[in-house]
Amino acid sequence: MKILVINAGSSSLKYQLIDMKDESVIAKGLCERISIDGSVLTHKANGKEYVFKKDMPNHTVAIKMVLDALVSPECGVLKSMDEISAVGHRVVHSAEDFTSSVLINDEVLKICEKNSELAPLHNPANVMGIRACQEVMPKTPMVAVFDTAFHSSMPDYAYLYGIKYSDYKNYRIRRYGFHGTSHMFVSSEAARYMKKDIKDLKIITCHLGNGSSITAVDGGKSVDTSMGFTPLEGVPMGTRSGNIDAAVIEYLMQKKGQTISQVMNYLNKECGVYGISENSSDFRDLMSDEKFNGQNKLAVDSFAYNVKKYVGAYAAAMNGVDCIVFTAGVGENDPYIRSAVAGNLQYMGVNFDEDANKNFKRGQICEISKKSSKVKFWLYRPMKNWLSQERLGGLQNKLNFRLTKKTLFCIMLNVSR
Ligand code: AMP
């Protein structure tokens, strides 16, 4: 049985095709810069890497390119789409509609669409990914796995905002948190590499990518996280502002003569490191040697400073921290940002290893703190063992239970980052 797992993100689309017989990855790849100039599909199969540079104005075009690659005579691994038994889709926001993964039907899709108002950069992309797949594989069962599920363990004092309690009750306005599959997975992997029971560990996971969030994981459970009601809260991100005084919204509306939706669109799509740099939302663009100065550097430094503040806050929230993990595009690839976040946390018992940080080889899980460090730093770049039991967490049971009737065994993978 072969399972295709898809993560349609705001400007990227990751996929893996897995043979469930031996849990091997048959093909995987990444569409980058969707709806931005210079879109590219990197497809890995048969021990080779194929690069297709072609305009991807939206996710439907991207997914069609992926499916074409999977069956293509040159770089494909399938005779036809019928070989795919099920598709797992990452869906970002489930609000309080779903607390676990579900088999996708029309009603589920409608609810995911309805929740687009809570995650305007993500749910529409996720739904586009699902619809595009359904178009090509109308009979293949598909499962939605939600980013919010891992954070359902947050205590009420952490997820409540300082607003009227009745508004929380009536309108379900609260912190939900996102990137749940990533935080769950990298925290359990860190515990495994530390050879400790996760129940005995306090871990801070830093998922730093185009969207970024930081989570406090105490005893294996999310107890606080930086994203909130929507993925707009937290640190400044690729294009999202992150935390901002709510009074700025009215002020901007008055100053610019804009509507509330124009300002919300601005906060979601024109701010963050893109807004500060007034150049690019992509950290690689900002940090290329000759450009890494002025507003570009300011944007990156502000990002790292805000991440660091969460690290401090979550160490306080958990009364300590045993381990800090970096993951996602920026967290895995960028030594400058890791060093800016972790380089001078000596007061917390951190002894950061700058050499290990710089010399990290891609494709490894790597310790980037010195042996003497009380707090361990890990860098997680998933390549091998990606289908470990730890990663599956409670999800596996839920999915098994739900899908055995359909003789399906569908697992959400780390591609859902
Ligand atoms: P993600 O959302 O996890 O796919 O991460 C996307 C972000 O990671 C983009 O801002 C990229 O610029 C950034 N990124 C990817 N590779 C690198 C790299 N080698 N150095 C710095 N940033 C990177």
Side-chain angles (χ1 to χ4, degrees):
M1 177 168 23
K2 293 174 183 104
I3 305 280
L4 179 65
V5 180
I6 290 186
N7 173 14
S10 43
S11 65
S12 63
L13 187 147
K14 295 172 189 161
Y15 62 94
Q16 289 188 350
L17 182 69
I18 294 117
D19 191 337
M20 296 311 296
K21 237 184 6 230
D22 55 359
E23 299 182 350
S24 59
V25 180
I26 310 168
K28 65 179 182 179
L30 168 67
C31 301
E32 289 179 283
R33 301 178 76 98
I34 299 171
S35 74
I36 308 177
D37 281 351
S39 1
V40 56
L41 161 63
T42 311
H43 175 75
K44 292 181 186 167
N46 310 316
K48 290 189 194 143
E49 182 173 298
Y50 306 85
V51 177
F52 303 97
K53 290 185 180 159
K54 197 176 150 193
D55 262 6
M56 292 179 226
N58 57 47
H59 290 72
T60 309
V61 175
I63 199 109
K64 286 195 168 140
M65 271 178 76
V66 169
L67 295 173
D68 284 348
L70 287 172
V71 294
S72 116
E74 299 86 55
C75 63
V77 287
L78 300 173
K79 287 198 186 75
S80 88
M81 282 301 138
D82 295 346
E83 286 180 55
I84 299 175
S85 305
V87 185
H89 290 273
R90 179 228 193 164
V91 179
V92 166
H93 210 313
S94 61
E96 290 183 340
D97 292 310
F98 306 108
T99 52
S100 63
S101 309
V102 286
L103 205 52
I104 298 171
N105 57 28
D106 288 349
E107 198 193 337
V108 169
L109 212 44
K110 265 196 209 126
I111 295 172
C112 296
E113 266 171 342
K114 181 194 81 182
N115 289 333
S116 287
E117 62 188 7
L118 301 179
L121 287 184
H122 289 91
N123 273 36
N126 304 152
V127 170
M128 261 193 275
I130 295 170
R131 287 204 188 284
C133 274
Q134 284 180 329
E135 230 176 280
V136 189
M137 297 180 278
K139 294 203 177 110
T140 311
M142 306 201 185
V143 173
V145 177
F146 301 99
D147 274 34
T148 41
F150 179 59
H151 301 297
S152 59
S153 49
M154 273 188 290
D156 49 7
Y157 54 79
Y159 70 65
L160 278 179
Y161 290 119
I163 58 170
K164 275 191 169 184
Y165 192 74
S166 52
D167 285 337
Y168 154 62
K169 279 301 203 191
N170 292 337
Y171 308 119
R172 300 179 303 170
I173 300 172
R174 49 159 283 186
R175 174 181 315 286
Y176 288 100
F178 300 89
H179 295 143
T181 50
S182 171
H183 292 294
M184 178 180 77
F185 176 59
V186 296
S187 54
S188 61
E189 282 293 284
R192 187 157 74 93
Y193 277 84
M194 287 172 81
K195 299 193 173 43
K196 295 240 167 100
D197 187 336
I198 194 163
K199 291 203 176 75
D200 301 325
L201 288 174
K202 296 168 186 201
I203 302 174
I204 297 173
T205 46
C206 304
H207 177 114
L208 311 180
N210 188 38
S212 296
S213 67
I214 298 98
T215 294
V217 183
D218 196 349
K221 295 202 160 117
S222 167
V223 292
D224 207 344
T225 190
S226 61
M227 283 179 169
F229 179 61
T230 73
L232 183 56
E233 191 181 344
V235 295
M237 306 172 217
T239 61
R240 277 168 262 165
S241 64
N243 298 335
I244 194 163
D245 183 337
V248 170
I249 295 173
E250 187 190 21
Y251 191 74
L252 263 178
M253 287 168 69
Q254 283 167 354
K255 285 286 176 194
K256 291 186 162 178
Q258 287 185 339
T259 62
I260 186 82
S261 18
Q262 282 173 316
V263 174
M264 291 315 291
N265 189 55
Y266 162 86
L267 292 176
N268 271 298
K269 298 193 175 165
E270 295 174 38
C271 292
V273 296
Y274 175 66
I276 298 175
S277 67
E278 296 184 306
N279 177 11
S280 174
S281 63
D282 194 299
F283 281 80
R284 278 168 298 195
D285 292 346
L286 300 176
M287 299 180 77
S288 66
D289 286 344
E290 72 280 9
K291 289 191 197 153
F292 193 44
N293 49 43
Q295 279 170 249
N296 287 355
K297 184 164 183 305
L298 182 61
V300 172
D301 287 344
S302 171
F303 170 77
Y305 173 72
N306 278 281
V307 174
K308 187 178 187 131
K309 281 210 294 189
Y310 273 103
V311 169
Y314 290 164
M318 293 191 288
N319 188 24
V321 53
D322 299 302
C323 164
I324 300 172
V325 191
F326 290 104
T327 190
V330 178
E332 290 159 19
N333 290 303
D334 197 285
Y336 177 89
I337 287 173
R338 290 194 299 262
S339 178
V341 172
N344 58 352
L345 291 175
Q346 294 86 349
Y347 75 95
M348 274 171 51
V350 169
N351 195 351
F352 193 64
D353 189 336
E354 292 288 358
D355 289 337
N357 180 42
K358 282 194 199 103
N359 298 326
F360 165 68
K361 288 199 191 73
R362 297 177 75 174
Q364 293 175 346
I365 179 161
C366 174
E367 187 170 352
I368 49 174
S369 45
K370 294 213 168 124
K371 291 278 170 263
S372 60
S373 187
K374 200 169 135 238
V375 179
K376 297 292 175 194
F377 271 87
W378 288 91
L379 187 56
Y380 190 73
R381 185 172 177 86
M383 292 287 278
K384 291 189 176 146
N385 301 328
W386 48 270
L387 204 61
S388 63
Q389 286 305 310
E390 287 88 341
R391 165 184 272 172
L392 305 178
L395 199 59
Q396 184 184 13
N397 294 338
K398 282 174 196 145
L399 285 174
N400 277 344
F401 176 76
R402 279 165 189 274
L403 300 177
T404 39
K405 281 189 201 134
K406 298 198 181 294
T407 56
L408 259 179
F409 177 61
C410 180
I411 296 164
M412 202 58 192
L413 314 166
N414 197 52
V415 76
S416 70
R417 292 177 321 119

